[in-house]
Amino acid sequence: MLHGSMGAGKTTFTRALAEGLAVDHPARVRSPTFSLCVTYPGPIPLMHLDLYRLDETGDVATAAFEALGLDFDDLVRPNQVVAVEWASRWRDPPEDHLAVQFHVSGAEYEHRIIEAIPHGRYAQQVLARWRQALGSP
């Protein structure tokens, strides 16, 4: 679940995530603002959603997911990573998820702080593995 203002780095982060997951052609990762959802195949597939164009109540998000044939329960699986931009527009996100908040400052958005907040047991495990891979405490 990616949270941050326009231009904060959500799509760039997702592209780096795709590279780390070794998905096919990670450089092709773009914001799916108009398509809503793009899946990138690889050893661990990446599903990339962008809810920016949907209303903030979540009603349209629910209808859009249903139209795309996406079942909310099927989105969260151990064999796939789901990155959701503008996640605040998802009315009923999974209880267990990793929220990534992008804070930007400076006239040209030259300073960024990325804060990862686990919600649930699995998210805590994911964050622990992420920190270990980065060599962070």
Side-chain angles (χ1 to χ4, degrees), residues 12 18 24 37 43 54 57 59 61 63 79-80 82 91 94 96 98-99 101 104-105 108-109 114 116 128 135 137:
T12 300
D24 299 342
C37 177
L54 305 180
T57 66
D59 294 334
N79 60 343
Q80 149 178 296
V82 179
R91 183 178 48 194
D96 197 336
L98 185 62
Q101 178 70 49
V104 295
S105 63
E108 303 289 323
Y109 278 8
I114 301 173

Side-chain angles (χ1 to χ4, degrees), residues 55-124:
D55 72 349
E56 295 186 28
T57 66
D59 294 334
V60 175
T62 300
F65 282 150
E66 289 173 1
L68 290 168
L70 300 174
D71 183 346
F72 292 127
D73 295 332
D74 290 338
L75 289 177
V76 181
R77 293 182 268 174
N79 60 343
Q80 149 178 296
V81 173
V82 179
V84 182
E85 295 190 36
W86 298 95
S88 61
R89 296 182 182 202
W90 190 348
R91 183 178 48 194
D92 291 317
E95 287 183 29
D96 197 336
H97 67 275
L98 185 62
V100 181
Q101 178 70 49
F102 296 80
H103 305 276
V104 295
S105 63
E108 303 289 323
Y109 278 8
E110 65 266 21
H111 302 288
R112 288 181 172 79
I113 296 174
I114 301 173
E115 178 182 18
I117 306 153
H119 295 271
R121 188 175 183 187
Y122 183 71
Q124 290 173 346

Side-chain angles (χ1 to χ4, degrees), residues 1-3 9-30 38-49 77-78 80-85 98-100 102 114 116 122 126-127 129-131 133-134:
M1 308 299 249
L2 308 177
H3 304 274
K10 297 179 296 292
T11 300
T12 300
F13 177 86
T14 304
R15 189 174 305 117
L17 182 60
E19 196 169 314
L21 293 170
V23 304
D24 299 342
H25 311 290
R28 293 183 183 168
V29 171
R30 302 281 185 267
V38 176
T39 299
Y40 299 96
I44 300 175
L46 172 64
M47 182 179 285
H48 186 193
L49 297 105
R77 293 182 268 174
Q80 149 178 296
V81 173
V82 179
V84 182
E85 295 190 36
L98 185 62
V100 181
F102 296 80
I114 301 173
Y122 183 71
V126 168
L127 183 57
R129 289 194 308 265
W130 187 9
R131 286 182 171 147
L134 293 172

